[in-house]
Amino acid sequence: MQIIPAIDIKDGHCVRLKQGDMQSATVFSEDPAAMAQHWLEQGATRLHLVDLNGATSGRPRNELAIREIVSVIGDEIPVQLGGGIRDLDTIERYLDDGIGYVIIGTAAVKNPGFLHDACYAFPGHIIVGLDARDGKVATDGWSKMTGHDVVDLAKKFEDYGVEAIVYTDIGRDGMLSGINIDATVKLARELKTPVIASGGIASIADIHQLMPFEGDGIVGAIAGRALYEGRLDFKEALKAAKG
């Protein structure tokens, strides 16, 4: 199982939010590229980037910082990126810049045809981000709840050929309250597509809890605030994730 450090970018800085609230941003670094280099040196095998301004505005807002991260990382490890990706031209530009995987969230829910086209045009490079509270999907930087059931939507998108699904419990993200194991495992068991767990990882205990379900299709876990606040030691997490 991969432990994937998150670099959330707001106004060019590396920050963390609580439950997606843009007003609750804590700045952990003024230099996201240096942070990416740090995680690479610590042994990361993948990075998770989010353009937070892009997620709320619906178009890329931190491309300079993202390019700087890619220039530092090169082709050492894959980088996955979400936030404000709403058209094929943006996907193509990011992939040309060196991003390995593009995460489509809000646009997938609001415009499934776009997701279908993206999977067809860029096979192997499209990940869907499903953010949910109490089993229902949220969009627009988590500011709007929909009536869509997360499992039903995931099955639909699986048929399109998505590479993976990042599942985030938005009630727990940034709260250090522990990952929603039950909901994550339930989703993974309903799919053949790999699931990456996100939202709420607080300590090494969460990694140990996830590990027994790797065989159910949970291939990775994204960690953010717990890493930045020192509650989760990254090298210890990597060791635990190797079983």
Side-chain angles (χ1 to χ4, degrees):
M1 182 182 294
Q2 288 184 307
I3 306 301
I4 308 170
I7 299 178
D8 290 0
I9 306 168
K10 179 177 184 279
D11 304 329
H13 302 145
C14 174
V15 308
R16 292 303 293 170
L17 308 183
K18 291 183 177 180
Q19 296 181 321
D21 179 9
M22 290 288 275
Q23 304 307 312
S24 71
T26 302
V27 177
F28 286 104
S29 172
E30 302 287 342
D31 189 347
M35 187 59 67
Q37 179 69 39
H38 167 75
W39 294 126
L40 179 64
E41 292 170 354
Q42 290 290 304
T45 55
R46 182 182 290 221
L47 289 180
H48 176 79
L49 310 185
V50 181
D51 178 350
L52 291 172
N53 302 102
T56 53
S57 69
R59 58 194 180 95
R61 293 289 194 181
N62 286 286
E63 288 190 79
L64 177 59
I66 290 161
R67 287 196 190 99
E68 289 174 348
I69 289 171
V70 173
S71 71
V72 165
I73 296 299
D75 56 4
E76 296 260 354
I77 60 173
V79 176
Q80 60 190 44
L81 167 69
I85 299 167
R86 306 284 196 269
D87 59 69
L88 296 178
D89 287 343
T90 299
I91 296 174
E92 185 171 26
R93 189 166 70 249
Y94 276 139
L95 295 179
D96 286 345
D97 285 344
I99 294 294
Y101 303 96
V102 168
I103 303 169
I104 302 175
T106 294
V109 180
K110 290 187 168 183
N111 184 5
F114 163 60
L115 177 65
H116 189 276
D117 291 345
C119 290
Y120 180 79
F122 308 105
H125 294 283
I126 305 301
I127 293 175
V128 163
L130 288 179
D131 309 323
R133 189 194 304 271
D134 300 326
K136 300 299 181 184
V137 174
T139 62
D140 298 277
W142 305 350
S143 63
K144 298 177 182 176
M145 295 302 301
T146 74
H148 294 295
D149 179 83
V150 68
V151 172
D152 290 344
L153 259 191
K155 286 182 175 180
K156 178 179 179 179
F157 296 158
E158 180 174 64
D159 290 341
Y160 293 174
V162 298
E163 185 69 11
I165 289 173
V166 173
Y167 173 69
T168 304
D169 184 316
I170 64 176
R172 301 190 182 214
D173 189 77
M175 301 303 290
L176 299 171
S177 57
I179 203 158
N180 190 333
I181 297 285
D182 292 344
T184 306
V185 172
K186 178 186 175 184
L187 178 64
R189 285 176 172 169
E190 293 282 349
L191 304 171
K192 297 184 181 68
T193 302
V195 171
I196 298 171
S198 174
I201 286 182
S203 69
I204 197 70
D206 291 303
I207 308 301
H208 288 305
Q209 279 188 289
L210 275 175
M211 281 303 295
F213 304 105
E214 189 173 13
D216 291 299
I218 301 174
V219 299
I222 295 167
R225 183 175 288 271
L227 289 176
Y228 291 104
E229 293 189 352
R231 297 167 185 259
L232 176 65
D233 180 270
F234 186 59
K235 290 190 174 180
E236 185 184 0
L238 287 179
K239 186 177 179 181
K242 289 178 181 175

